Amino acid sequence: MTIIVTGGAGFIGSNFIFHMLKTYADYRIICVDKLTYAGNMSTLAGIMEDSRFRFCKVDICDRAKIYEIFEDEHPDIVVNFAAESHVDRSIENPEVFLQTNILGTQVLMDACRKYGIKRYHQVSTDEVYGDLPLDRPDLFFTEETPIHTSSPYSSSKAGADLLVLAYHRTFGLPVTISRCSNNYGPYHFPEKLIPLMIANALNDKPLPVYGKGENVRDWLYVEDHCKAIDLIIHNGRVGEVYNVGGHNEMANIDIVKLICKKLDKPESLITYVADRKGHDMRYAIDPTKIHTELGWLPETKFAEGIDKTINWYLENRKWWETIISGEYQNYYEKMYGNR
Ligand code: NAD
Ligand code: DAU
């Protein structure tokens, strides 16, 4: 089995590659990644010499190069993680989100049509459903919840999802889509809430909480997401969407306080800053479908996952310190300098 994994130098894609190489001794993985600011070769250093692995520095929007890879490798499955993934950046500059997230998806699916494929899997997000109110804890996102996006990021992901379903209906492309909640774990880029707060706390820097910190996210340990995708590409029904999430809702402020406590840092580091524009209030996944059809359940409890994550950032300081000492400083100044 040969699998093309796009965006494999990023957070979830790299964790997925590690999971697949560990689980399937005879699978070949081709990682296609443009290496944007979010892609990191040091993440993949440990598998570069593995004969089952090939890395291609290629933009998924580059049709000629993508077709070349398909001609060379005859992939059975494509799993598309490649995306611009940060909501705040999409508010600053939406264009690249539409290019990569929508047009890049189209190029990959055209290649799948041209060269034939057993499965195209689109890694999507629960953000396509918009948000839920805080005062209705009985409401959850199901696969039938209407698409109702808030940010340029989530709109681009929703646009891609609709295109994927259209390629299935119009051209018969064998597709599946997963819509997952917030992931956390090793190799998470330090612009996102959990790794940003860990890095800032370790450096005794202010911890910038948007608005009142009351927004709720449904956190899932990254390995559980990878296992869900593994199940879907092997056993999921073609043309179907699967929500992935583990009923682990937490308010941002509680996460930040917990990180302070675990790192023995004072809560006085917490600084309330201007809210994100169009900030989604609450995400909460109903995972009944993937549980009943594929037997998936999250295996890592948050208490265990957050300890593993914090330990990873403590033991791998070089990985994130290299990131935050570079171009990231300009990003941080722009986003947080006058906030
Ligand atoms: P990330 O930003 O950490 O990684 C994205 C990767 O894609 C990077 O390696 C980057 O170099 C690569 N990339 C970007 N543009 C590219 C292009 N044009 N061509 C080739 N490669 C390109 O993202 P992540 O958090 O790992 O998210 C991966 C996927 O999962 C995304 O599609 C995202 O929408 C989805 N998702 C993320 C979460 C989450 O909590 N992080 C939750 C649900 C779904
Ligand atoms: O739900 C899945 C989505 O989760 C994915 O599709 C996205 O790719 C991923 O980035 C994530 O989106 P969020 O916007 O929920 O994640 P982020 O880590 O950016 O923010 C989480 C919450 O924390 C959100 O309510 C905003 C808040 N926040 C974030 C940052 C970076 C802060 O309060 N302060 C911050 O500095």
Side-chain angles (χ1 to χ4, degrees):
M1 184 80 83
T2 298
I3 305 186
I4 289 185
V5 176
T6 69
F11 166 45
I12 311 175
S14 61
N15 277 285
F16 179 73
I17 291 172
F18 302 149
H19 165 78
M20 295 302 280
L21 289 175
K22 197 171 66 188
T23 311
Y24 303 100
D26 54 344
Y27 279 24
R28 189 168 152 69
I29 305 283
I30 317 300
C31 173
V32 175
D33 198 298
K34 182 184 176 183
L35 294 180
T36 67
Y37 77 93
N40 197 332
M41 283 311 286
S42 73
T43 302
L44 299 174
I47 54 169
M48 290 303 282
E49 300 303 316
D50 191 323
S51 58
R52 300 170 299 153
F53 179 71
R54 176 181 167 201
F55 179 80
C56 306
K57 183 180 183 310
V58 168
D59 184 339
I60 58 166
C61 301
D62 186 336
R63 190 174 287 274
K65 291 215 175 100
I66 292 293
Y67 284 11
E68 239 174 65
I69 296 171
F70 274 69
E71 263 173 40
D72 284 355
E73 297 289 349
H74 307 288
D76 300 285
I77 297 176
V78 173
V79 183
N80 181 25
F81 290 92
E84 289 294 333
S85 69
H86 193 34
V87 172
D88 293 328
R89 288 185 193 252
S90 83
I91 295 166
E92 290 296 306
N93 176 21
E95 194 168 337
V96 67
F97 283 74
L98 307 192
Q99 272 161 4
T100 288
N101 299 3
I102 302 178
L103 298 179
T105 296
Q106 186 214 352
V107 168
L108 291 172
M109 290 195 298
D110 283 345
C112 291
R113 284 187 65 211
K114 187 170 159 73
Y115 295 100
I117 196 96
K118 290 199 185 92
R119 180 67 62 88
Y120 173 86
H121 183 75
Q122 179 74 0
V123 181
S124 186
T125 168
D126 61 356
E127 295 199 16
V128 300
Y129 299 123
D131 64 352
L132 298 164
L134 283 184
D135 61 356
R136 289 292 307 274
D138 55 313
L139 295 181
F140 297 92
F141 297 139
T142 73
E143 290 78 2
E144 274 68 52
T145 302
I147 300 283
H148 186 81
T149 57
S150 311
S151 70
Y153 162 69
S154 55
S155 306
S156 69
K157 293 296 289 185
D161 281 14
L162 295 176
L163 199 61
V164 171
L165 294 173
Y167 267 56
H168 172 61
R169 176 158 175 167
T170 308
F171 305 120
L173 195 71
V175 306
T176 38
I177 297 177
S178 51
R179 294 183 179 147
C180 190
S181 59
N182 287 63
N183 286 213
Y184 68 102
Y187 302 106
H188 203 179
F189 194 85
E191 66 188 348
K192 307 283 169 64
L193 179 78
I194 289 182
L196 183 146
M197 296 300 167
I198 296 173
N200 281 17
L202 286 171
N203 287 330
D204 298 306
K205 283 180 65 181
L207 308 176
V209 171
Y210 298 167
K212 295 183 189 145
E214 62 190 355
N215 306 64
V216 167
R217 298 292 182 265
D218 183 358
W219 295 95
L220 183 72
Y221 193 61
V222 62
E223 240 173 63
D224 281 320
H225 185 188
C226 296
K227 287 178 182 167
I229 295 172
D230 177 357
L231 278 173
I232 295 168
I233 60 177
H234 287 101
N235 305 324
R237 285 184 295 136
V238 162
E240 293 293 318
V241 173
Y242 292 90
N243 283 357
V244 184
H247 287 305
N248 182 55
E249 293 177 47
M250 290 182 75
N252 296 337
I253 189 64
D254 295 332
I255 300 249
V256 179
K257 285 183 176 169
L258 183 68
I259 290 171
C260 287
K261 193 166 163 222
K262 299 259 176 205
L263 292 174
D264 200 19
K265 298 288 178 183
E267 285 186 9
S268 56
L269 284 177
I270 294 173
T271 313
Y272 292 92
V273 301
D275 210 351
R276 174 184 279 173
K277 288 183 187 133
H279 199 170
D280 281 336
M281 202 41 97
R282 170 177 167 248
Y283 303 147
I285 286 274
D286 176 352
T288 305
K289 181 173 174 180
I290 189 166
H291 175 56
T292 50
E293 281 192 22
L294 304 177
W296 179 87
L297 276 178
E299 291 168 24
T300 305
K301 297 260 178 295
F302 189 77
E304 180 196 345
I306 195 71
D307 282 350
K308 284 208 288 204
T309 304
I310 290 176
N311 286 338
W312 188 88
Y313 281 86
L314 285 169
E315 285 162 12
N316 293 275
R317 283 189 90 116
K318 195 161 169 238
W319 183 88
W320 56 269
E321 279 175 347
T322 306
I323 293 172
I324 66 173
S325 63
E327 171 58 27
Y328 180 88
Q329 295 217 337
N330 298 335
Y331 164 80
Y332 200 88
E333 182 54 31
K334 186 172 166 204
M335 302 302 261
Y336 296 93
N338 295 316
R339 198 159 184 158

